[in-house]
């Protein structure tokens, strides 16, 4: 096994195992980032391989030898958002679904408003959009899909998804966060005009 020093998370193994053949490398990256945080930006590729090896040993349809090539195939050196498809290099042997600049800008941040602000700006300044959200194009400055906000806050900030969801709802009630009028289940959220 490539990484024996730290026990593997049973939660990750169970959730990844339940996904079976639908488990993608970015799913594994996110699961490890959310539930096996080692305090560094992104996750170690060696750690991903260790999980794949354990899943394979348990009889799940995972090929540990395909993890590194799958990561390399999608890896970019960009510090800024270039889309959902790539994996971003966050250090030597480390990758994330999100660019290093977000880790740098949001390090230690607990305020959901700051996440909304940073993500809305990053998406608006990027040529790349998102493959989810409401009717508005997420790259047009009209906010960020709530599920994406939850993903970033939990992975980059280490925040609890349910707590962030509750804070978003509270900020909606207070008029600080606005949402798309179309009521899409994963509609965009943004700072209300008077909260900017």
């Amino acid at each position: 096994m490539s990484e024996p020093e730290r026990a593997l998370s049973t939660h990750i193994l169970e959730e990844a195992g339940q996904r079976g053949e639908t488990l993608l490398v970015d799913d594994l990256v996110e699961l490890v980032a959310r539930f096996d945080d080692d305090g560094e930006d992104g996750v170690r590729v060696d750690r991903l391989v260790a999980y794949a090896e354990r899943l394979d040993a348990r009889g799940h349809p995972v090929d540990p030898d395909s993890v590194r090539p799958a990561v390399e195939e999608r890896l970019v050196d960009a510090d800024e958002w270039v889309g959902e498809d790539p994996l971003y290099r966050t250090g030597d042997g480390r990758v994330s679904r999100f660019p290093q600049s977000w880790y740098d800008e949001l390090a230690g941040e607990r305020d959901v408003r700051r996440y909304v602000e940073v993500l809305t700006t990053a998406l608006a300044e990027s040529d790349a959009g998102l493959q989810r959200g409401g009717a508005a194009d997420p790259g047009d400055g009209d906010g960020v899909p709530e599920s994406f906000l939850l993903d970033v806050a939990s992975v980059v900030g280490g925040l609890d998804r349910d707590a962030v969801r509750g804070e978003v709802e509270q900020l909606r009630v207070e008029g600080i966060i606005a949402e798309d009028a179309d009521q899409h289940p994963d509609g965009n959220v943004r700072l209300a005009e008077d909260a900017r």
Side-chain angles (χ1 to χ4, degrees), residues 25-161:
V25 72
D26 56 331
D27 297 329
L28 189 56
V29 168
E30 184 168 346
L31 284 170
V32 173
R34 286 179 57 204
F35 300 108
D36 189 7
D37 183 23
D38 65 1
E40 301 292 325
D41 298 342
V43 299
R44 292 190 353 226
V45 176
D46 289 344
R47 194 73 171 161
L48 299 174
V49 172
Y51 276 102
E53 289 171 348
R54 181 70 58 83
L55 288 164
D56 181 51
R58 289 182 170 189
H60 295 287
V62 176
D63 177 10
D65 294 332
S66 70
V67 172
R68 285 184 199 283
V71 167
E72 285 297 322
E73 181 179 298
R74 296 181 51 198
L75 194 60
V76 296
D77 284 322
D79 285 334
E80 303 298 327
W81 180 254
V82 295
E84 282 186 281
D85 290 334
L87 292 173
Y88 297 84
R89 190 180 312 275
T90 58
D92 189 29
R94 301 186 75 84
V95 299
S96 177
R97 290 188 48 233
F98 309 114
Q100 182 64 49
S101 62
W102 293 4
Y103 286 91
D104 296 341
E105 198 161 355
L106 295 167
E109 185 60 62
R110 316 269 335 140
D111 187 347
V112 171
R113 291 172 290 197
R114 183 72 179 128
Y115 283 87
V116 173
E117 180 184 340
V118 167
L119 298 179
T120 299
T121 300
L123 294 176
E125 291 175 353
S126 172
D127 291 335
L130 295 174
Q131 298 157 356
R132 55 180 136 180
D137 175 11
D140 68 3
D142 271 346
V144 58
E146 186 171 340
S147 66
F148 188 72
L149 170 65
L150 297 173
D151 289 347
V152 174
S154 65
V155 169
V156 173
L159 305 179
D160 178 78
R161 288 176 69 87

